[in-house]
Amino acid sequence: MNTTNGQGLSRRDFLRWSGVTAAALAVAACAPASPAPQAGAGDAGAAAPAAATTVLRMQVDPEQEQPVVDMFRQNNPNVDFEFVSVTGIDHEEIAAKILTMVASGQALDLGYAATEATQLYAGQKLAAPIDEWVQRDAEELKEYFTDVHPSLIQAMMWEGSLYQLPIDFNAANMYYNTGVLQEAGVEAPKTDWTKDDFYNIAKATTKKDASGAAQTYGYAWTNRLWGGWMPWIFVNGSNLLQEEEASGGEWLWSGFYADDPAVQGRGGGWRWTAPKANDPANVEALDFLYQIYQEGITPAIELGGGDTLQGFFTTGKLAMTPAGGFWAGSLKNAGMANDSFDVQLMPKWKNQRHQFGTAGQWIFADGKNKEAAWDYMKFRISKDAMMANGMFNPVTLTTPTRRSMLTAERFADTGPANWQVFYATLDDHPDTAPIPAPPISNPMTALFVGYTSRAMNGELTPQAALDGMQKELEDLYARNPDMYTKAS
Amino acid sequence: MSSVASTNKHVGQSKSRSRNPYRLMTENTLSGMARRKALMGYLFLFPTILGILVFTAGPVLFSFVLSLFRWNVFSPPEWIGFVSYQRMVTDSRALTGFWNSFIFVVFAVSLQVLLGLVLAMILQSHMATWLRYTYRTTFLLPMLMSGAATAIVLGYMLHKEFGAVNYYLGRIGIPPIPWLTQPTWAMVSVIMSYLWLSTGFAMILFIGGLTNISNEILDAADVDGARGLTRFWNITLPLVSPTLLFAAVTGVIGGLQVFNLPYIMTRGGPGDSTRTAVMVMYESAFKNMEIGYGSTIAVVLFLVILAVTAGQFGLSKRWVFYQ
Amino acid sequence: MQSTMMPTAPRRSSAAAAGDFLRYRLGMWLLLLVTTVFAIIVVAPFAWTVSTSMRTPMESFSVPPQWIVLNPDWSNYARVFEEIPFFRQILNSFVVTLAVVVGQLFTASLAGYAFARLEFPGRNLLFWLIMATMMIPLQATIIPVFVIISRMGLANTLWSLIIPALPTAFGTFLMRQYFLGVPKDFEEAAVIDGANQFSVFARVYLPLVTPALAVLAMLVFNGMWNDFFRPLIFINDPLLFTIPLGLNDLKGYMATGSISVVLAGVTMSLIPVVIVYIFGQRYLIEGIMMGGVKG
């Protein structure tokens, strides 16, 4: 089995072993090295940086951002970019990544956050207020502010200061399948339709076959914070949390919206100071949704982002569901003809208040290149940049915050025909507000979604579920006192 | 595990040998041998130990330490001592997490081991080779799917209204089952999906264990009139018990840490019914930004796994039979 | 009923024997039926995945579910390539997985051998320490590991996925069990021949446990190929993503991606694994059968 050669053999063996390992590691080393961090490398070869380049590290979707970056670099060749990509994942998961980066001291310059995280980053002083820059460059920005509804701006404020310039938003409107409604012989909903009209349509479009199995559902929703059943809470004149207005913000409103009646009563940003989960209006709303579930109008409510929901809608098994502008392109991708669906405002109940979420870039307070970051942020919300942004071009993946960008052309290919609804939700209804999202929005959302699911599967009555939710939300708030007051 | 005695024995021997006047003879003395062996031992272990120290032991200690602080990443950590541990004891969500993990592991691991053994035994019996090969390949296939992909695919198939599973159940007259929307059913779905994914591995282990039972023993048992159940209980089972132990130990360790599958399939819902301890830990740390509290849960989970594994090995002396 | 010289089966009447035989055959058929049902249940999700990937999303939810696709729509597969740098990500997955497989074979066989056949002070303690590290969920240590990786300057490189995965407690455990199963006679023969430790390891033991190496290789391949969380945290650049991250991207913003495209991606990412599996299956089975797993 073994020839005797003592040391010599073993040395050779050892070398052979090392050789194998080295070869393996060499294979790994042949792996493509991290591509050049310059976005400029997108075009032919790496752009030779001039002296004193700034590198901006941005959390974006590289593909969508590339056209904007290219445009920016035409006038600012001294700025390079490094992309940090966290796409394809729901806003919740982004936190894990950002958190880890911050924890390990990896500074970014620009982040991208939605309503759910705005107050968290602002309150924790992770994001830098942009008031000074905005006021300094007010002339350039006037045009932007006139094109963007104050509701969206207000959602990006915290305790009197502005932190983000909103780029895209989505309000929950009611999408309906025109074919399904036609088959049921019901008319399409009008702008001022009521909850009862909704119920009638839902009932008429719900079809069961002989054995009682469902063929079409009148209404469905996915259990999450935005959309979900929050729109019903809003139209019933309530909210999950108590609302307050922070002080401050006059500089913004008088500076940019001086003649706009829509800014009346707006202050320095939203405060959600205490829970009121089991407010009778909320219980009434949840009762209503549970009732129509029991009547077979709604399928079992599942968690998640809405994959299955889209499937039903596109295959004509679902009449109505709430969704935002982001659905237009996505339904087209799923194969729906642009006249097979349309959109309308949420029905009126006690009022017709809508909820939305919006998002924009934010500047890391600890970043090293804040000036350059601001320059980029400012550029990004310019009309040209927004038109070129992969979010809106060639397919509209989400709703632009600029009123002027919502045109018939944009939605001609994908639908819906009634696209004006998207911005009408803001313009015609100044009471439209962002989804409640205090700094503790993550655990709050978990509680909201958890108890909702238990109500909708019959485990708890809506009242009991909301009572439980209220209690836990109160505990959560108790663990995080003075979120708003101690911030400044 | 029987190596414990031998280690001590040799160490004892080399100690006494070192006083041997002939210790100056190097190459082939037993003490020289032992010393070189020890050195080789450390050398062989070096890459693994180094790696584990840096990438596992260190971070684990870090977690232990963190559990005594309150840290949300953005502000500096704040010392709070054992407050997190006290909080965990009264936190119904965390306790539910451990309970769910317990339920999951008890059912999933025992079913996994049982199914694996049964399938392996079936594949041992007389059948055409091609058939055996086909079955074996088929049952191993799910191992290739990732937990995430499995969660997505099975999540669709288990949809109450439009999933394939309920459709076929409906054809044989069973009303639609709320697989993912009712608490008990949700746990059943998660366990079933986990079984789908992991039983193949258990089956392979048992095929190995069963094959090693020499046919002579089985034939002798046959001759003695022990057949069927008797033979299984008194002969097969004891001989396959080392494999059972390995399967049970690795099954429990893996089962207590499974994350992707349940997280993507149900996100812990409905309510908290499928929220395992690992999920509670992950969400505390990354969603609620309470890294200290998340670390606390991790520490407790680690201790639980350690205790259970030690218990398994301890108990194993009673029922595991080594040749 | 012990017989010593001539073991004979107990006598039974021919009718009883025939009854036995019938029961045996019936039992066999029943067993086969049950096994086949199981097999179908096991294969169904795969079939559904593949068939849905060839249909448009609109057709995915038709009831009754269609398993055989008459007009396959390959556009979903094309879409996968449009939405993510698929080939690049497959390559990344390959590089990382292969490097880790080779690396773990190296460290696990050395360490497993040390624990099985070498004596040194503290052996048991070290073994249990290493075993204990198997009991930490990945999510608990990800932040400090990321900090270490960043300090090493490896963040956002494929190395960050490879290096921390090189030491393996599970692999060590597995190899140790297999090494324990090799009779000591072999070693003693080699020692008498004067070979030193390393050659005993490399020339005597290692060849005897090649099936174990195959088992470990396949398990590690499987695990690394499907690893999602570590690449999520360590890698920023989509060109460096591994396949699980890429597939996640296909799900789209607020899950607006098309399910058929996602499943097309899943199907394609299964192909390399299946190939490895088909080639390695023989070794896997041999490995399990030869070594068996002893406690």
Side-chain angles (χ1 to χ4, degrees):
Chain A
M1 169 125 349
N2 224 6
T3 57
T4 53
N5 254 334
Q7 301 288 347
L9 198 56
S10 78
R11 238 202 319 267
R12 225 181 296 152
D13 284 337
F14 191 77
L15 286 177
R16 206 184 308 164
W17 266 91
S18 321
V20 168
T21 321
L25 291 177
V27 166
C30 285
S34 169
Q38 306 160 16
D43 27 88
T53 35
T54 332
V55 178
L56 282 183
R57 304 189 70 213
M58 293 203 297
Q59 172 212 337
V60 283
D61 179 328
E63 232 185 87
Q64 288 177 354
E65 201 71 16
Q66 190 65 48
V68 183
V69 164
D70 288 340
M71 286 172 68
F72 182 76
R73 296 191 80 238
Q74 281 169 6
N75 293 331
N76 298 276
N78 289 351
V79 182
D80 286 331
F81 293 86
E82 198 180 306
F83 296 142
V84 174
S85 171
V86 224
T87 52
I89 307 171
D90 213 350
H91 289 290
E92 301 175 336
E93 263 85 11
I94 295 182
K97 180 96 186 214
I98 297 283
L99 222 68
T100 319
M101 296 189 76
V102 172
S104 62
Q106 289 231 330
L108 285 182
D109 294 300
L110 285 164
Y112 192 81
T115 319
E116 289 91 337
T118 299
Q119 295 209 345
L120 170 68
Y121 294 147
Q124 291 291 340
K125 306 218 200 315
L126 198 63
I130 58 176
D131 302 0
E132 281 187 16
W133 286 306
V134 168
Q135 289 175 306
R136 183 192 75 185
D137 297 338
E139 276 311 305
E140 284 176 68
L141 294 172
K142 265 200 165 36
E143 172 272 328
Y144 167 77
F145 283 107
T146 42
D147 209 8
V148 175
H149 194 275
S151 287
L152 302 173
I153 302 287
Q154 191 186 13
M156 313 246 94
M157 292 175 75
W158 163 269
E159 300 299 295
S161 294
L162 184 63
Y163 283 80
Q164 296 167 268
L165 295 174
I167 287 212
D168 75 295
F169 82 102
N170 284 292
N173 296 119
M174 192 70 82
Y175 276 68
Y176 57 93
N177 187 320
T178 47
V180 171
L181 261 65
Q182 256 172 23
E183 258 186 56
V186 286
E187 267 189 30
K190 310 252 184 314
T191 324
D192 54 356
W193 62 317
T194 65
K195 165 189 167 251
D196 292 328
D197 295 329
F198 162 80
Y199 180 69
N200 292 334
I201 296 183
K203 205 145 170 94
T205 49
T206 303
K207 297 221 189 325
K208 304 232 186 298
D209 66 16
S211 64
Q215 280 192 316
T216 8
Y217 285 102
Y219 180 68
W221 49 282
T222 320
N223 189 1
R224 44 191 318 222
L225 180 66
W226 182 102
W229 64 288
M230 188 65 75
W232 293 101
I233 296 182
F234 270 59
V235 296
N236 205 18
S238 180
N239 200 334
L240 179 68
L241 309 172
Q242 280 175 20
E243 302 167 19
E244 255 180 50
E245 191 69 44
S247 58
E250 293 84 18
W251 62 274
L252 188 68
W253 306 123
S254 52
F256 297 98
Y257 291 96
D259 303 318
D260 194 337
V263 302
Q264 288 226 330
R266 296 194 194 270
W270 287 93
R271 283 182 171 190
W272 292 282
T273 50
K276 54 174 205 172
N278 53 2
D279 183 293
N282 297 346
V283 180
E284 192 185 357
L286 195 54
D287 268 333
F288 173 61
L289 289 167
Y290 187 62
Q291 175 207 331
I292 60 176
Y293 162 69
Q294 285 194 305
E295 291 181 27
I297 295 178
T298 304
I301 300 302
E302 295 192 344
L303 279 167
D307 329 29
T308 42
L309 207 66
Q310 184 170 298
F312 303 159
F313 194 76
T314 53
T315 51
K317 293 187 171 31
L318 176 60
M320 297 184 283
T321 186
F326 64 86
W327 236 28
S330 153
L331 289 178
K332 168 86 194 287
N333 280 342
M336 275 191 106
N338 61 2
D339 57 354
S340 56
F341 70 95
D342 209 342
V343 76
Q344 185 50 274
L345 294 173
M346 288 292 292
K348 197 190 312 204
W349 199 348
K350 293 213 182 60
N351 61 23
Q352 219 173 2
R353 192 184 192 211
H354 287 67
Q355 46 108 110
F356 67 84
T358 178
Q361 284 191 308
W362 55 280
I363 300 184
F364 267 75
D366 288 336
K368 306 276 183 304
N369 308 298
K370 298 213 273 269
E371 273 300 324
W374 166 251
D375 285 337
Y376 185 75
M377 194 203 239
K378 207 173 35 163
F379 174 72
R380 200 175 187 266
I381 47 103
S382 69
K383 185 82 175 280
D384 295 331
M386 275 179 76
M387 292 293 280
N389 195 317
M391 281 197 278
F392 310 120
N393 171 45
V395 181
T396 307
L397 295 175
T398 170
T399 327
T401 46
R402 278 176 173 273
R403 197 183 287 108
S404 62
M405 279 175 72
L406 276 100
T407 59
E409 291 173 68
R410 176 170 295 280
F411 295 101
D413 188 34
T414 58
N418 209 3
W419 54 269
Q420 297 94 325
V421 162
F422 297 141
Y423 225 88
T425 310
L426 299 171
D427 280 332
D428 299 344
H429 299 269
D431 58 350
T432 297
I435 46 173
I440 43 168
S441 71
N442 275 344
M444 175 206 91
T445 305
L447 289 173
F448 179 68
V449 161
Y451 276 99
T452 303
S453 69
R454 292 169 76 182
M456 289 308 294
N457 69 7
E459 203 185 316
L460 297 173
T461 65
Q463 178 77 55
L466 290 176
D467 285 336
M469 195 195 293
Q470 173 70 11
K471 162 105 193 9
E472 289 218 50
L473 283 175
E474 282 170 2
D475 289 343
L476 180 64
Y477 266 85
R479 280 203 298 273
N480 294 278
D482 311 325
M483 278 187 292
Y484 292 97
T485 45
K486 83 164 183 209
S488 28
Chain B
M1 302 303 124
S2 53
S3 50
V4 180
S6 53
T7 315
N8 294 337
K9 189 159 58 139
H10 279 166
V11 167
Q13 274 187 350
S14 66
K15 268 217 178 89
S16 62
R17 292 288 156 121
S18 62
R19 300 210 195 265
N20 187 310
Y22 296 106
R23 68 184 179 275
L24 290 172
M25 287 162 60
T26 49
E27 289 297 305
N28 285 319
T29 56
L30 277 161
S31 78
M33 204 65 178
R35 233 195 332 264
R36 278 217 321 283
K37 257 197 175 184
L39 217 61
M40 284 306 267
Y42 292 129
L43 201 64
F44 274 39
L45 273 182
F46 183 67
T48 301
I49 291 284
L50 178 68
I52 287 193
L53 269 178
V54 172
F55 292 110
T56 314
V60 168
L61 273 173
F62 185 70
S63 274
F64 279 35
V65 169
L66 262 187
S67 69
L68 304 174
F69 284 81
R70 184 188 161 125
W71 191 33
N72 73 350
V73 177
F74 303 124
S75 353
E78 190 191 315
W79 169 267
I80 53 171
F82 287 94
V83 170
S84 288
Y85 289 90
Q86 288 173 320
R87 175 174 156 202
M88 205 197 88
V89 170
T90 51
D91 178 2
S92 71
R93 179 157 293 111
L95 294 177
T96 309
F98 278 98
W99 174 253
N100 286 332
S101 284
F102 171 70
I103 296 284
F104 175 77
V105 163
V106 163
F107 284 102
V109 175
S110 47
L111 283 174
Q112 178 189 5
V113 167
L114 187 66
L115 269 178
L117 184 57
V118 165
L119 284 175
M121 288 185 69
I122 292 180
L123 287 189
Q124 290 285 84
S125 51
H126 295 294
M127 62 172 78
T129 316
W130 67 268
L131 193 60
R132 174 175 302 132
Y133 184 76
T134 312
Y135 278 141
R136 210 175 59 195
T137 313
T138 309
F139 290 125
L140 281 182
L141 273 181
M143 268 173 66
L144 304 178
M145 285 273 258
S146 65
T150 308
I152 296 176
V153 171
L154 291 182
Y156 280 115
M157 293 180 76
L158 288 172
H159 192 273
K160 182 175 170 207
E161 270 85 16
F162 296 116
V165 174
N166 272 350
Y167 172 73
Y168 288 111
L169 287 180
R171 290 269 289 258
I172 56 177
I174 302 182
I177 297 183
W179 293 108
L180 297 175
T181 49
Q182 289 289 351
T184 322
W185 283 112
M187 179 58 94
V188 168
S189 303
V190 169
I191 292 178
M192 263 179 12
S193 308
Y194 183 73
L195 284 176
W196 182 85
L197 195 55
S198 61
T199 305
F201 180 62
M203 180 188 81
I204 282 287
L205 283 181
F206 284 119
I207 289 183
L210 286 174
T211 320
N212 282 335
I213 300 179
S214 70
N215 280 323
E216 299 167 349
I217 299 185
L218 291 176
D219 287 341
D222 255 344
V223 158
D224 284 348
R227 202 161 287 163
L229 206 57
T230 328
R231 190 180 81 176
F232 174 72
W233 195 254
N234 292 320
I235 309 277
T236 315
L237 208 50
L239 286 177
V240 92
S241 54
T243 315
L244 264 175
L245 180 65
F246 184 78
V249 168
T250 47
V252 168
I253 294 182
L256 282 172
Q257 294 181 44
V258 72
F259 181 76
N260 277 334
L261 178 63
Y263 190 68
I264 296 185
M265 198 167 209
T266 59
R267 275 284 192 290
D272 284 333
S273 56
T274 54
R275 201 173 304 277
T276 59
V278 182
M279 267 200 252
V280 177
M281 179 202 86
Y282 173 80
E283 289 178 339
S284 300
F286 290 104
K287 269 174 75 158
N288 304 346
M289 311 226 206
E290 298 187 289
I291 309 254
Y293 192 56
S295 302
T296 310
I297 299 182
V299 168
V300 173
L301 182 61
F302 166 73
L303 291 174
V304 166
I305 298 182
L306 192 61
V308 169
T309 307
Q312 279 180 308
F313 274 110
L315 274 181
S316 76
K317 295 196 172 67
R318 299 251 180 126
W319 59 274
V320 177
F321 171 78
Y322 294 101
Q323 300 197 58
Chain C
M1 289 241 299
Q2 305 253 10
S3 44
T4 46
M5 296 293 278
M6 297 246 300
T8 45
R11 303 219 166 216
R12 318 209 41 213
S13 75
S14 50
D20 266 350
F21 183 67
L22 208 62
R23 243 184 317 225
Y24 173 74
R25 285 302 287 264
L26 218 63
M28 271 312 295
W29 279 109
L30 199 62
L31 219 54
L32 280 187
L33 186 68
V34 169
T35 315
T36 310
V37 168
F38 269 147
I40 293 181
I41 293 179
V42 163
V43 170
F46 283 101
W48 191 84
T49 304
V50 174
S51 79
T52 309
S53 69
M54 296 195 280
R55 288 184 263 148
T56 66
M58 286 192 65
E59 296 164 358
S60 326
F61 290 100
S62 53
V63 171
Q66 302 163 312
W67 299 97
I68 312 216
V69 185
L70 295 169
N71 301 320
D73 175 7
W74 299 105
S75 67
N76 296 317
Y77 286 86
R79 279 278 297 281
V80 173
F81 291 101
E82 285 167 33
E83 308 235 339
I84 56 175
F86 187 75
F87 278 129
R88 183 63 185 270
Q89 291 175 350
I90 288 270
L91 183 66
N92 295 335
S93 278
F94 258 121
V95 166
V96 170
T97 306
L98 284 177
V100 171
V101 166
V102 171
Q104 282 202 3
L105 286 181
F106 185 64
T107 61
S109 54
L110 285 178
Y113 177 73
F115 282 121
R117 286 280 175 258
L118 297 176
E119 284 108 23
F120 47 90
R123 182 170 85 166
N124 242 42
L125 180 65
L126 275 175
F127 179 70
W128 275 102
L129 273 175
I130 292 185
M131 285 290 288
T133 63
M134 270 207 297
M135 308 177 192
I136 319 283
L138 174 62
Q139 293 82 1
T141 54
I142 200 83
I143 291 188
V145 174
F146 185 63
V147 171
I148 296 174
I149 292 283
S150 316
R151 296 288 157 79
M152 287 166 78
L154 294 178
N156 201 33
T157 63
L158 291 182
W159 288 111
S160 67
L161 298 175
I162 296 175
I163 294 190
L166 290 179
T168 163
F170 176 77
T172 305
F173 184 31
L174 191 74
M175 293 310 296
R176 171 190 183 263
Q177 302 304 95
Y178 275 88
F179 279 123
L180 279 178
V182 175
K184 279 205 169 163
D185 328 333
F186 287 115
E187 175 181 3
E188 281 154 16
V191 162
I192 292 176
D193 278 353
N196 78 351
Q197 274 310 316
F198 192 81
S199 43
V200 169
F201 164 68
R203 313 199 104 242
V204 178
Y205 276 92
L206 212 50
L208 289 175
V209 294
T210 35
L213 292 176
V215 170
L216 184 61
M218 287 197 57
L219 290 175
V220 175
F221 186 91
N222 214 23
M224 288 305 296
W225 187 262
N226 291 323
D227 186 22
F228 175 75
F229 193 63
R230 292 182 327 130
L232 173 72
I233 301 286
F234 293 166
I235 309 279
N236 297 332
D237 185 345
L239 288 177
L240 287 179
F241 279 178
T242 53
I243 264 305
L245 288 189
L247 292 183
N248 203 42
D249 259 2
L250 286 176
K251 290 204 280 185
Y253 174 66
M254 284 215 219
T256 50
S258 150
I259 166 190
S260 305
V261 176
V262 174
L263 291 180
V266 169
T267 309
M268 285 201 286
S269 75
L270 276 177
I271 295 177
V273 198
V274 168
I275 293 179
V276 168
Y277 166 67
I278 289 179
F279 279 122
Q281 203 210 135
R282 215 189 64 203
Y283 295 107
L284 180 68
I285 305 296
E286 252 178 53
I288 299 282
M289 312 238 278
M290 276 188 58
V293 178
K294 315 255 184 322

